[in-house]
Amino acid sequence: MLTKIQLKRKTKLNANRKLIVLCGLASGLYPLIYLYSSNFALISSLHQFVAFSVIFLVLPTILLVSLYYGSQFFKTGNNKTLLVFTFLNLSICCCLMLYATYGFNKKVIVILIFVSFLLALIFSNYLDKIVRFQFLLAFVGLLFLMPTLIGCMEYKNDWYADTTKAIQPEFKKKPNIYLIQPDGYVGFSQVNRGFYNYNNEGFRNFLESQDFTLYPNFRSNYYSTLSSNSSLFTMNHHFYGYTNSDKELLFARNVIVGENPVLSILKNNGYTTNLILENGFLLVNRPRIAYDTYNISLDEIPILSNGFDINKSVNVSLQESISKSSEQPEFYFIERILPGHISTYKPHSKGKEIERLKYLEELAEANKWLTEIVNLITKQDPNSLVIIAADHGGFVGYDYSAQSIETPNSDDHIHSMFSSLLAIKWPAEKPDYKDELLSSVNLFRFLFSYLSEDSTILKTLQDDKSYLKLNDDINDGLFEVLNKSGTALKKIDH
């Protein structure tokens, strides 16, 4: 004779078999939505969506359904079966949340499994309510994800699509071109003063001895690697449009390493394009790579990664690439996260003074690397066009770089973000661009004008302005913070 409780359990498992399917789906649905809410820019490809859907939804559902039919075949007691399903639902949900938040950690997984078992002992009679609660969490999470999904659906490349129609240069000169990008290397106008106060004359003298032209007042138009390089390779302003956070440009990686105006113009002029990276930061969302060759393949990058789990020697990769070069002119984009910038978030910061010292140590390492790679190129390819162009400054003067959403306290704070190293070794006669080449959005316009001997390209220059999105008690929105006249703080309605 069945008791009322036993009859209730049997009804839940036998009369409503759909509960088991829903149990499997519910265990992974909220963790999946949370994963995308927190990491959309890193996992925006269809390949990753399919893979994560299988991991978070399909596999847990298959596991639970298989166990359900197994329990029916072996006539396992309903008490134990319900306990097992509750335990699996909770443990799978907790472990997937751990993965979506911090990544897997064996010790934490053991703790989560133990806690899930204790909770299952207490709440096994309420599996249907647990599933409903998990779906409710997923619905709330979806509401927070919706702005990103809408931005994704509305995304268009019209902010740069017409550039290759407006600019169609035919190069008269076709030297090999090396674009070397030391991440976060502050410009010469700032490094020896203000918050940096660093004597960098040794490296400056080296560059001048190698016949580089220095552009000390050069700066980026945007504050980060992704936003700055998107503007650089499209030769256009994007004003942080299509964002899935306060600042990060949606699909920026697809723009930088994909088919962009700069690569199109180079290829139209017969260039072979080569991408040489230290790590996979620009590749983590598996963009379609438009470069002809690249030293890191997408197969090397984990499905969820910030890109820093790969570390390759760009000098070695460059040497190998040069040795394989053809008779066609070559373009190399060489990027290394050095010196980088101060810590990004407050919990990792050691305070502005220690962050400054750490940055200057990395700056010294960057000088060594840049000296080595310049010597390598000079030896292997002495008649090439060599550009050293940083993507932004080092944020020295802040406690951590995420403070940049706050209204800057001084001009030095603004320059610390945007001042960027630019040095160019022209292969023949030096063009007189020193007072005109001011920001990264126009860098390739000047290069293409030089190579094509067509000055009309310079009539299409973008504004040499730098923009920042602010969000604090004083200001909120998009602001122009630098222009040709100096610093500014002007809200932009865009």
Side-chain angles (χ1 to χ4, degrees), residues 163 167 179 215 218-222 228-237 262 387 389-390 422 424 426 433 435-450 456-467 483-484:
T163 305
I167 304 175
L179 173 59
Y215 299 82
F218 183 78
R219 53 185 163 78
S220 63
N221 304 96
Y222 299 91
S228 178
N229 278 330
S230 296
S231 178
L232 172 69
F233 282 101
T234 59
M235 301 183 286
N236 273 282
H237 282 294
V262 167
I387 308 126
L422 178 64
I424 302 177
W426 303 97
Y433 295 152
D435 296 327
E436 300 172 273
L437 180 44
L438 299 176
S439 70
S440 53
V441 70
N442 288 316
L443 174 58
F444 276 105
R445 277 184 168 84
F446 281 96
L447 293 178
F448 293 158
S449 175
Y450 167 80
T456 62
I457 295 175
L458 301 183
K459 295 180 180 179
T460 67
L461 293 177
Q462 296 277 294
D463 289 336
D464 287 308
K465 296 179 179 180
S466 298
Y467 300 95
N483 55 39
K484 284 188 175 182

Short mmCIF file of all heavy atoms in Angstrom, two decimals, residues 163 167 179 215 218-222 228-237 262 387 389-390 422 424 426 433 435-450 456-467 483-484:
data_model
loop_
_atom_site.label_atom_id
_atom_site.label_comp_id
_atom_site.label_asym_id
_atom_site.label_seq_id
_atom_site.Cartn_x
_atom_site.Cartn_y
_atom_site.Cartn_z
N THR A 163 34.05 53.16 -47.24
CA THR A 163 35.40 53.72 -47.26
C THR A 163 36.19 53.27 -48.49
O THR A 163 36.88 54.07 -49.12
CB THR A 163 36.16 53.32 -45.98
OG1 THR A 163 35.41 53.73 -44.85
CG2 THR A 163 37.53 53.98 -45.95
N ILE A 167 37.90 55.71 -51.14
CA ILE A 167 39.37 55.71 -51.24
C ILE A 167 39.80 54.49 -52.03
O ILE A 167 39.69 53.36 -51.56
CB ILE A 167 40.02 55.69 -49.84
CG1 ILE A 167 39.52 56.86 -49.00
CG2 ILE A 167 41.54 55.71 -49.95
CD1 ILE A 167 40.02 56.85 -47.57
N LEU A 179 53.64 46.91 -39.63
CA LEU A 179 52.94 47.67 -38.59
C LEU A 179 53.13 46.94 -37.27
O LEU A 179 52.57 45.86 -37.05
CB LEU A 179 51.45 47.79 -38.94
CG LEU A 179 50.57 48.42 -37.85
CD1 LEU A 179 51.03 49.83 -37.50
CD2 LEU A 179 49.10 48.43 -38.28
N TYR A 215 56.56 61.04 -33.94
CA TYR A 215 55.35 61.86 -33.91
C TYR A 215 54.89 61.94 -32.45
O TYR A 215 53.99 61.21 -32.02
CB TYR A 215 54.26 61.24 -34.80
CG TYR A 215 54.70 61.14 -36.25
CD1 TYR A 215 55.51 60.09 -36.70
CD2 TYR A 215 54.33 62.12 -37.17
CE1 TYR A 215 55.92 60.01 -38.02
CE2 TYR A 215 54.74 62.05 -38.51
CZ TYR A 215 55.53 60.99 -38.92
OH TYR A 215 55.95 60.92 -40.23
N PHE A 218 51.12 62.23 -31.23
CA PHE A 218 50.16 61.27 -31.77
C PHE A 218 49.33 60.67 -30.63
O PHE A 218 49.82 60.48 -29.51
CB PHE A 218 50.92 60.17 -32.50
CG PHE A 218 50.04 59.15 -33.17
CD1 PHE A 218 49.43 59.43 -34.38
CD2 PHE A 218 49.83 57.90 -32.60
CE1 PHE A 218 48.63 58.49 -35.01
CE2 PHE A 218 49.02 56.96 -33.23
CZ PHE A 218 48.43 57.25 -34.44
N ARG A 219 48.08 60.36 -30.94
CA ARG A 219 47.20 59.77 -29.92
C ARG A 219 46.16 58.88 -30.58
O ARG A 219 45.91 58.96 -31.79
CB ARG A 219 46.52 60.86 -29.10
CG ARG A 219 45.80 61.89 -29.93
CD ARG A 219 45.25 63.02 -29.08
NE ARG A 219 44.91 64.19 -29.87
CZ ARG A 219 43.82 64.31 -30.61
NH1 ARG A 219 42.93 63.32 -30.64
NH2 ARG A 219 43.58 65.41 -31.29
N SER A 220 45.56 58.05 -29.77
CA SER A 220 44.46 57.22 -30.25
C SER A 220 43.17 58.02 -30.18
O SER A 220 43.07 59.02 -29.46
CB SER A 220 44.34 55.94 -29.41
OG SER A 220 44.02 56.27 -28.08
N ASN A 221 42.18 57.58 -30.92
CA ASN A 221 40.86 58.24 -30.89
C ASN A 221 39.92 57.58 -29.89
O ASN A 221 38.90 58.17 -29.51
CB ASN A 221 40.22 58.19 -32.27
CG ASN A 221 41.11 58.80 -33.33
OD1 ASN A 221 41.84 58.08 -34.02
ND2 ASN A 221 41.08 60.11 -33.47
N TYR A 222 40.28 56.36 -29.48
CA TYR A 222 39.46 55.60 -28.54
C TYR A 222 40.36 54.97 -27.50
O TYR A 222 41.56 54.87 -27.68
CB TYR A 222 38.62 54.56 -29.30
CG TYR A 222 37.70 55.22 -30.30
CD1 TYR A 222 38.09 55.44 -31.62
CD2 TYR A 222 36.44 55.68 -29.90
CE1 TYR A 222 37.26 56.09 -32.52
CE2 TYR A 222 35.61 56.33 -30.78
CZ TYR A 222 36.02 56.54 -32.10
OH TYR A 222 35.20 57.19 -32.97
N SER A 228 40.07 51.16 -30.49
CA SER A 228 41.08 51.91 -31.22
C SER A 228 41.44 51.24 -32.54
O SER A 228 41.50 51.89 -33.59
CB SER A 228 42.33 52.07 -30.35
OG SER A 228 43.35 52.74 -31.05
N ASN A 229 41.67 49.93 -32.50
CA ASN A 229 42.05 49.23 -33.73
C ASN A 229 40.90 49.15 -34.73
O ASN A 229 41.13 49.10 -35.95
CB ASN A 229 42.56 47.83 -33.40
CG ASN A 229 44.01 47.84 -32.97
OD1 ASN A 229 44.78 48.69 -33.41
ND2 ASN A 229 44.40 46.92 -32.11
N SER A 230 39.67 49.11 -34.25
CA SER A 230 38.53 49.13 -35.17
C SER A 230 38.53 50.42 -35.97
O SER A 230 38.26 50.43 -37.18
CB SER A 230 37.22 49.01 -34.39
OG SER A 230 37.13 47.78 -33.73
N SER A 231 38.84 51.52 -35.32
CA SER A 231 38.92 52.80 -36.00
C SER A 231 40.14 52.86 -36.93
O SER A 231 40.06 53.37 -38.05
CB SER A 231 38.99 53.92 -34.96
OG SER A 231 39.12 55.18 -35.57
N LEU A 232 41.25 52.31 -36.46
CA LEU A 232 42.49 52.31 -37.25
C LEU A 232 42.31 51.59 -38.58
O LEU A 232 42.68 52.12 -39.64
CB LEU A 232 43.60 51.64 -36.43
CG LEU A 232 44.93 51.36 -37.15
CD1 LEU A 232 45.66 52.66 -37.44
CD2 LEU A 232 45.81 50.43 -36.31
N PHE A 233 41.75 50.38 -38.56
CA PHE A 233 41.69 49.55 -39.76
C PHE A 233 40.48 49.88 -40.66
O PHE A 233 40.43 49.40 -41.79
CB PHE A 233 41.68 48.07 -39.38
CG PHE A 233 43.04 47.55 -39.03
CD1 PHE A 233 43.42 47.39 -37.70
CD2 PHE A 233 43.97 47.24 -40.01
CE1 PHE A 233 44.67 46.92 -37.37
CE2 PHE A 233 45.23 46.78 -39.69
CZ PHE A 233 45.59 46.61 -38.37
N THR A 234 39.54 50.66 -40.15
CA THR A 234 38.44 51.10 -41.01
C THR A 234 38.64 52.53 -41.49
O THR A 234 37.95 52.99 -42.39
CB THR A 234 37.09 51.04 -40.27
OG1 THR A 234 37.15 51.86 -39.10
CG2 THR A 234 36.76 49.60 -39.87
N MET A 235 39.60 53.26 -40.84
CA MET A 235 39.86 54.67 -41.15
C MET A 235 38.61 55.52 -40.91
O MET A 235 38.37 56.50 -41.60
CB MET A 235 40.36 54.84 -42.59
CG MET A 235 41.65 54.08 -42.89
SD MET A 235 42.28 54.36 -44.57
CE MET A 235 41.10 53.37 -45.50
N ASN A 236 37.82 55.09 -39.92
CA ASN A 236 36.57 55.78 -39.62
C ASN A 236 36.30 55.83 -38.13
O ASN A 236 36.77 54.98 -37.37
CB ASN A 236 35.39 55.07 -40.30
CG ASN A 236 35.17 55.55 -41.72
OD1 ASN A 236 34.60 56.61 -41.94
ND2 ASN A 236 35.61 54.77 -42.68
N HIS A 237 35.50 56.81 -37.74
CA HIS A 237 35.02 56.87 -36.36
C HIS A 237 33.78 56.00 -36.21
O HIS A 237 32.95 55.92 -37.10
CB HIS A 237 34.65 58.31 -35.99
CG HIS A 237 35.83 59.17 -35.69
ND1 HIS A 237 36.64 58.97 -34.61
CD2 HIS A 237 36.33 60.26 -36.35
CE1 HIS A 237 37.60 59.90 -34.59
NE2 HIS A 237 37.43 60.69 -35.64
N VAL A 262 41.28 48.78 -44.85
CA VAL A 262 42.74 48.78 -44.98
C VAL A 262 43.24 47.53 -45.69
O VAL A 262 44.03 47.59 -46.64
CB VAL A 262 43.42 48.93 -43.60
CG1 VAL A 262 44.92 48.61 -43.68
CG2 VAL A 262 43.21 50.35 -43.07
N ILE A 387 56.35 50.86 -39.27
CA ILE A 387 55.53 51.73 -38.41
C ILE A 387 55.43 51.11 -37.03
O ILE A 387 55.03 49.95 -36.90
CB ILE A 387 54.10 51.90 -38.98
CG1 ILE A 387 54.14 52.33 -40.44
CG2 ILE A 387 53.30 52.89 -38.15
CD1 ILE A 387 53.36 51.44 -41.35
N ALA A 389 53.22 51.76 -33.93
CA ALA A 389 52.04 52.55 -33.55
C ALA A 389 51.30 51.85 -32.42
O ALA A 389 50.76 50.76 -32.61
CB ALA A 389 51.11 52.74 -34.75
N ALA A 390 51.27 52.48 -31.26
CA ALA A 390 50.53 51.92 -30.12
C ALA A 390 49.04 52.17 -30.30
O ALA A 390 48.62 53.03 -31.07
CB ALA A 390 51.02 52.53 -28.82
N LEU A 422 54.06 56.75 -31.77
CA LEU A 422 54.10 56.58 -33.23
C LEU A 422 55.48 56.96 -33.72
O LEU A 422 55.96 58.07 -33.48
CB LEU A 422 53.05 57.44 -33.94
CG LEU A 422 53.09 57.34 -35.48
CD1 LEU A 422 52.75 55.92 -35.94
CD2 LEU A 422 52.16 58.35 -36.14
N ILE A 424 57.81 56.22 -37.45
CA ILE A 424 57.75 55.63 -38.79
C ILE A 424 59.11 55.75 -39.47
O ILE A 424 59.71 56.84 -39.49
CB ILE A 424 56.68 56.32 -39.66
CG1 ILE A 424 55.30 56.23 -39.00
CG2 ILE A 424 56.64 55.70 -41.06
CD1 ILE A 424 54.20 56.94 -39.77
N TRP A 426 60.41 55.73 -42.92
CA TRP A 426 60.02 55.80 -44.33
C TRP A 426 61.13 55.23 -45.19
O TRP A 426 62.31 55.46 -44.93
CB TRP A 426 59.73 57.24 -44.72
CG TRP A 426 58.67 57.90 -43.87
CD1 TRP A 426 58.87 58.71 -42.79
CD2 TRP A 426 57.26 57.78 -44.03
NE1 TRP A 426 57.68 59.12 -42.26
CE2 TRP A 426 56.66 58.57 -43.01
CE3 TRP A 426 56.44 57.11 -44.94
CZ2 TRP A 426 55.28 58.68 -42.87
CZ3 TRP A 426 55.06 57.23 -44.80
CH2 TRP A 426 54.49 58.01 -43.78
N TYR A 433 54.66 65.11 -42.78
CA TYR A 433 53.37 64.91 -42.14
C TYR A 433 53.41 65.22 -40.64
O TYR A 433 52.44 64.97 -39.94
CB TYR A 433 52.93 63.45 -42.29
CG TYR A 433 52.65 63.00 -43.71
CD1 TYR A 433 52.81 61.66 -44.07
CD2 TYR A 433 52.20 63.89 -44.68
CE1 TYR A 433 52.55 61.22 -45.36
CE2 TYR A 433 51.93 63.46 -45.98
CZ TYR A 433 52.11 62.13 -46.30
OH TYR A 433 51.84 61.69 -47.58
N ASP A 435 53.16 67.64 -38.57
CA ASP A 435 52.16 68.47 -37.89
C ASP A 435 50.74 68.07 -38.26
O ASP A 435 49.79 68.66 -37.74
CB ASP A 435 52.39 69.95 -38.26
CG ASP A 435 53.72 70.46 -37.75
OD1 ASP A 435 54.17 70.00 -36.69
OD2 ASP A 435 54.32 71.32 -38.43
N GLU A 436 50.59 67.11 -39.15
CA GLU A 436 49.25 66.73 -39.63
C GLU A 436 48.81 65.34 -39.15
O GLU A 436 47.63 65.11 -38.92
CB GLU A 436 49.22 66.74 -41.16
CG GLU A 436 49.55 68.09 -41.79
CD GLU A 436 49.69 67.96 -43.29
OE1 GLU A 436 50.80 67.65 -43.77
OE2 GLU A 436 48.68 68.15 -43.99
N LEU A 437 49.78 64.44 -39.02
CA LEU A 437 49.46 63.07 -38.61
C LEU A 437 49.33 63.03 -37.09
O LEU A 437 50.31 62.90 -36.36
CB LEU A 437 50.55 62.11 -39.10
CG LEU A 437 50.41 60.61 -38.77
CD1 LEU A 437 49.00 60.11 -39.01
CD2 LEU A 437 51.41 59.81 -39.56
N LEU A 438 48.10 63.16 -36.62
CA LEU A 438 47.86 63.36 -35.19
C LEU A 438 47.16 62.21 -34.49
O LEU A 438 47.29 62.06 -33.28
CB LEU A 438 47.03 64.64 -34.99
CG LEU A 438 47.68 65.95 -35.47
CD1 LEU A 438 46.70 67.10 -35.28
CD2 LEU A 438 48.98 66.21 -34.73
N SER A 439 46.36 61.40 -35.22
CA SER A 439 45.60 60.36 -34.53
C SER A 439 45.46 59.12 -35.40
O SER A 439 45.60 59.17 -36.63
CB SER A 439 44.22 60.89 -34.12
OG SER A 439 43.39 61.08 -35.24
N SER A 440 45.14 58.02 -34.75
CA SER A 440 45.18 56.71 -35.41
C SER A 440 44.12 56.55 -36.50
O SER A 440 44.33 55.79 -37.45
CB SER A 440 45.02 55.59 -34.36
OG SER A 440 43.88 55.81 -33.56
N VAL A 441 43.00 57.24 -36.41
CA VAL A 441 41.95 57.08 -37.42
C VAL A 441 42.43 57.49 -38.81
O VAL A 441 41.95 56.98 -39.83
CB VAL A 441 40.68 57.87 -37.02
CG1 VAL A 441 40.91 59.37 -37.12
CG2 VAL A 441 39.50 57.44 -37.86
N ASN A 442 43.42 58.38 -38.86
CA ASN A 442 43.93 58.88 -40.15
C ASN A 442 45.27 58.31 -40.54
O ASN A 442 45.82 58.68 -41.60
CB ASN A 442 44.02 60.41 -40.10
CG ASN A 442 42.66 61.07 -40.14
OD1 ASN A 442 41.79 60.69 -40.91
ND2 ASN A 442 42.46 62.07 -39.28
N LEU A 443 45.84 57.42 -39.74
CA LEU A 443 47.18 56.91 -40.02
C LEU A 443 47.29 56.30 -41.41
O LEU A 443 48.19 56.62 -42.19
CB LEU A 443 47.57 55.88 -38.95
CG LEU A 443 48.91 55.15 -39.17
CD1 LEU A 443 50.07 56.13 -39.27
CD2 LEU A 443 49.16 54.13 -38.06
N PHE A 444 46.36 55.42 -41.76
CA PHE A 444 46.46 54.75 -43.06
C PHE A 444 46.13 55.68 -44.22
O PHE A 444 46.60 55.46 -45.34
CB PHE A 444 45.58 53.50 -43.08
CG PHE A 444 46.25 52.30 -42.48
CD1 PHE A 444 45.89 51.86 -41.22
CD2 PHE A 444 47.24 51.62 -43.17
CE1 PHE A 444 46.51 50.75 -40.66
CE2 PHE A 444 47.87 50.51 -42.62
CZ PHE A 444 47.51 50.08 -41.36
N ARG A 445 45.35 56.70 -43.99
CA ARG A 445 45.13 57.68 -45.05
C ARG A 445 46.46 58.34 -45.44
O ARG A 445 46.75 58.52 -46.63
CB ARG A 445 44.12 58.73 -44.61
CG ARG A 445 42.67 58.29 -44.78
CD ARG A 445 41.73 59.44 -44.41
NE ARG A 445 40.36 59.18 -44.82
CZ ARG A 445 39.48 58.48 -44.13
NH1 ARG A 445 39.85 57.95 -42.97
NH2 ARG A 445 38.25 58.29 -44.57
N PHE A 446 47.24 58.70 -44.45
CA PHE A 446 48.55 59.30 -44.74
C PHE A 446 49.48 58.29 -45.42
O PHE A 446 50.20 58.64 -46.37
CB PHE A 446 49.19 59.83 -43.46
CG PHE A 446 48.64 61.16 -43.01
CD1 PHE A 446 47.64 61.24 -42.06
CD2 PHE A 446 49.12 62.34 -43.57
CE1 PHE A 446 47.12 62.46 -41.66
CE2 PHE A 446 48.63 63.57 -43.17
CZ PHE A 446 47.61 63.63 -42.22
N LEU A 447 49.46 57.04 -44.95
CA LEU A 447 50.31 56.01 -45.58
C LEU A 447 49.90 55.78 -47.03
O LEU A 447 50.77 55.68 -47.92
CB LEU A 447 50.21 54.71 -44.78
CG LEU A 447 50.78 54.71 -43.37
CD1 LEU A 447 50.54 53.35 -42.71
CD2 LEU A 447 52.25 55.05 -43.35
N PHE A 448 48.61 55.68 -47.27
CA PHE A 448 48.15 55.42 -48.63
C PHE A 448 48.39 56.62 -49.55
O PHE A 448 48.66 56.45 -50.75
CB PHE A 448 46.66 55.05 -48.62
CG PHE A 448 46.37 53.72 -47.94
CD1 PHE A 448 45.11 53.44 -47.43
CD2 PHE A 448 47.37 52.76 -47.81
CE1 PHE A 448 44.84 52.24 -46.82
CE2 PHE A 448 47.10 51.54 -47.19
CZ PHE A 448 45.84 51.28 -46.69
N SER A 449 48.30 57.81 -49.00
CA SER A 449 48.62 59.00 -49.78
C SER A 449 50.09 58.99 -50.19
O SER A 449 50.44 59.31 -51.34
CB SER A 449 48.30 60.26 -48.98
OG SER A 449 48.70 61.43 -49.68
N TYR A 450 50.94 58.62 -49.26
CA TYR A 450 52.38 58.53 -49.54
C TYR A 450 52.68 57.46 -50.59
O TYR A 450 53.43 57.71 -51.55
CB TYR A 450 53.12 58.22 -48.23
CG TYR A 450 54.56 57.80 -48.42
CD1 TYR A 450 55.57 58.75 -48.63
CD2 TYR A 450 54.93 56.46 -48.36
CE1 TYR A 450 56.89 58.36 -48.79
CE2 TYR A 450 56.24 56.07 -48.52
CZ TYR A 450 57.22 57.02 -48.75
OH TYR A 450 58.53 56.63 -48.92
N THR A 456 45.08 63.88 -52.76
CA THR A 456 43.63 64.08 -52.61
C THR A 456 43.04 63.20 -51.52
O THR A 456 41.98 63.50 -50.97
CB THR A 456 42.90 63.80 -53.94
OG1 THR A 456 43.10 62.42 -54.31
CG2 THR A 456 43.41 64.71 -55.05
N ILE A 457 43.73 62.10 -51.21
CA ILE A 457 43.26 61.23 -50.11
C ILE A 457 43.20 62.01 -48.81
O ILE A 457 42.32 61.79 -47.97
CB ILE A 457 44.18 60.00 -49.97
CG1 ILE A 457 44.07 59.12 -51.22
CG2 ILE A 457 43.85 59.19 -48.72
CD1 ILE A 457 45.02 57.96 -51.24
N LEU A 458 44.10 62.97 -48.64
CA LEU A 458 44.16 63.73 -47.40
C LEU A 458 43.03 64.75 -47.29
O LEU A 458 42.88 65.39 -46.25
CB LEU A 458 45.51 64.42 -47.27
CG LEU A 458 46.73 63.48 -47.29
CD1 LEU A 458 48.01 64.26 -47.08
CD2 LEU A 458 46.59 62.39 -46.23
N LYS A 459 42.24 64.87 -48.34
CA LYS A 459 41.06 65.73 -48.27
C LYS A 459 39.88 65.00 -47.61
O LYS A 459 38.84 65.62 -47.36
CB LYS A 459 40.66 66.19 -49.68
CG LYS A 459 41.70 67.10 -50.34
CD LYS A 459 41.26 67.53 -51.73
CE LYS A 459 42.32 68.43 -52.37
NZ LYS A 459 41.92 68.86 -53.74
N THR A 460 40.06 63.71 -47.36
CA THR A 460 38.99 62.91 -46.75
C THR A 460 39.28 62.59 -45.28
O THR A 460 38.71 61.66 -44.73
CB THR A 460 38.79 61.60 -47.52
OG1 THR A 460 39.95 60.77 -47.36
CG2 THR A 460 38.57 61.86 -49.00
N LEU A 461 40.19 63.33 -44.67
CA LEU A 461 40.58 63.04 -43.29
C LEU A 461 39.39 63.09 -42.33
O LEU A 461 38.50 63.93 -42.47
CB LEU A 461 41.66 64.02 -42.81
CG LEU A 461 43.03 63.94 -43.49
CD1 LEU A 461 43.94 65.03 -42.94
CD2 LEU A 461 43.66 62.57 -43.31
N GLN A 462 39.40 62.18 -41.38
CA GLN A 462 38.43 62.21 -40.29
C GLN A 462 38.89 63.21 -39.23
O GLN A 462 40.06 63.62 -39.19
CB GLN A 462 38.32 60.82 -39.66
CG GLN A 462 37.79 59.76 -40.60
CD GLN A 462 36.28 59.75 -40.68
OE1 GLN A 462 35.60 59.45 -39.71
NE2 GLN A 462 35.74 60.09 -41.85
N ASP A 463 37.97 63.60 -38.35
CA ASP A 463 38.33 64.52 -37.26
C ASP A 463 39.35 63.87 -36.33
O ASP A 463 39.19 62.72 -35.92
CB ASP A 463 37.09 64.90 -36.46
CG ASP A 463 36.15 65.81 -37.23
OD1 ASP A 463 36.63 66.50 -38.15
OD2 ASP A 463 34.94 65.82 -36.91
N ASP A 464 40.38 64.64 -36.02
CA ASP A 464 41.39 64.15 -35.07
C ASP A 464 40.90 64.41 -33.65
O ASP A 464 41.47 65.20 -32.89
CB ASP A 464 42.73 64.85 -35.31
CG ASP A 464 43.42 64.35 -36.57
OD1 ASP A 464 43.57 63.13 -36.71
OD2 ASP A 464 43.80 65.19 -37.41
N LYS A 465 39.83 63.73 -33.27
CA LYS A 465 39.25 63.89 -31.95
C LYS A 465 39.26 62.55 -31.22
O LYS A 465 39.19 61.50 -31.86
CB LYS A 465 37.81 64.42 -32.06
CG LYS A 465 37.71 65.81 -32.65
CD LYS A 465 36.28 66.28 -32.77
CE LYS A 465 36.19 67.69 -33.34
NZ LYS A 465 34.79 68.15 -33.47
N SER A 466 39.35 62.63 -29.93
CA SER A 466 39.33 61.42 -29.10
C SER A 466 38.06 61.43 -28.27
O SER A 466 37.66 62.47 -27.73
CB SER A 466 40.56 61.36 -28.20
OG SER A 466 41.74 61.30 -28.97
N TYR A 467 37.46 60.24 -28.16
CA TYR A 467 36.14 60.12 -27.53
C TYR A 467 36.18 59.13 -26.38
O TYR A 467 36.91 58.13 -26.40
CB TYR A 467 35.10 59.67 -28.55
CG TYR A 467 34.95 60.63 -29.72
CD1 TYR A 467 35.64 60.43 -30.91
CD2 TYR A 467 34.10 61.74 -29.62
CE1 TYR A 467 35.51 61.31 -31.98
CE2 TYR A 467 33.95 62.62 -30.69
CZ TYR A 467 34.66 62.41 -31.85
OH TYR A 467 34.52 63.27 -32.91
N ASN A 483 40.85 67.31 -28.91
CA ASN A 483 40.77 67.74 -30.30
C ASN A 483 42.07 68.45 -30.67
O ASN A 483 43.02 68.45 -29.88
CB ASN A 483 39.54 68.62 -30.53
CG ASN A 483 39.50 69.82 -29.58
OD1 ASN A 483 40.53 70.42 -29.28
ND2 ASN A 483 38.31 70.15 -29.11
N LYS A 484 42.11 69.06 -31.84
CA LYS A 484 43.35 69.71 -32.28
C LYS A 484 43.77 70.85 -31.37
O LYS A 484 44.96 71.19 -31.29
CB LYS A 484 43.18 70.22 -33.71
CG LYS A 484 43.24 69.14 -34.77
CD LYS A 484 43.26 69.75 -36.16
CE LYS A 484 43.44 68.66 -37.22
NZ LYS A 484 43.51 69.21 -38.59
#
